[in-house]
Amino acid sequence: MFAHGIAGYARLLLPFLIPLREKGYNIIAPDLQGFGYSEGLKGDFEWDVHLQNLSDTINYAKQRFSGKVILGGASMGGPLSYATAARFGGIDALACWCLWDFSDKEFMLNETNTKNFTYLLIPVFRILGSVMGSETDKVQVTTCLTSRKSIQRNH
């Protein structure tokens, strides 16, 4: 399964997905609600709805196909895939592009809207995460690809 980003839809991923299909993989690339050919207000991004869309697609994949379920995503599809795995589980592997690497200061300064302010926000987000509960302990990330480098992490 592969999740598109905010400005995309499933058919934009075909140049990447067709070669995988030709190698024998079963591929599912859903249009998240509000994108592509799905229902909903076009361009309406709703985090929890999209997590549920991906969870429903995982369940469909398990019913339709045998074998391992690998969930991946690009752009905002990466964090959506990660959060879906953390919240719902049910996958055998996770491949995310565009997870954020806050230790890459050059990237954070050049590619984010918050620039140096990002580093002031991180402790606030950690506190909010501990108060609101963290779902990241349910998923193990072995490799996350950012736009610039590969990072090895084990949670």
Side-chain angles (χ1 to χ4, degrees):
M1 288 181 39
F2 205 81
H4 62 78
I6 292 175
Y9 63 106
R11 289 186 183 190
L12 290 176
L13 301 171
L14 288 178
F16 170 72
L17 300 176
I18 288 172
L20 292 173
R21 178 68 183 128
E22 290 171 347
K23 291 187 181 288
Y25 292 95
N26 294 313
I27 304 292
I28 301 174
D31 280 329
L32 300 174
Q33 183 175 316
F35 293 85
Y37 293 95
S38 70
E39 296 179 358
L41 182 63
K42 294 302 176 202
D44 192 21
F45 181 81
E46 295 185 52
W47 183 263
D48 287 330
V49 170
H50 292 148
L51 296 186
Q52 187 63 54
N53 292 161
L54 292 175
S55 178
D56 292 344
T57 307
I58 290 167
N59 293 332
Y60 171 80
K62 287 180 169 187
Q63 293 172 359
R64 176 75 171 83
F65 304 109
S66 62
K68 294 182 177 186
V69 175
I70 301 169
L71 176 60
S75 190
M76 185 54 82
L80 283 168
S81 295
Y82 179 87
T84 299
R87 184 176 292 179
F88 299 105
I91 63 168
D92 297 292
L94 178 64
C96 301
W97 288 266
C98 290
L99 287 176
W100 302 282
D101 175 14
F102 293 110
S103 68
D104 186 345
K105 293 187 186 260
E106 180 183 347
F107 176 80
M108 296 304 292
L109 288 173
N110 294 326
E111 303 298 330
T112 65
N113 292 332
T114 55
K115 309 292 181 207
N116 276 327
F117 190 61
T118 302
Y119 297 102
L120 298 173
L121 292 173
I122 291 173
V124 173
F125 290 139
R126 285 189 179 134
I127 292 168
L128 287 173
S130 66
V131 170
M132 298 172 67
S134 174
E135 296 173 341
T136 59
D137 59 344
K138 298 178 188 174
V139 66
Q140 180 177 354
V141 178
T142 54
T143 302
C144 301
L145 298 178
T146 67
S147 61
R148 298 195 55 214
K149 61 184 175 181
S150 179
I151 302 152
Q152 295 292 327
R153 295 185 186 162
N154 286 310
H155 294 291

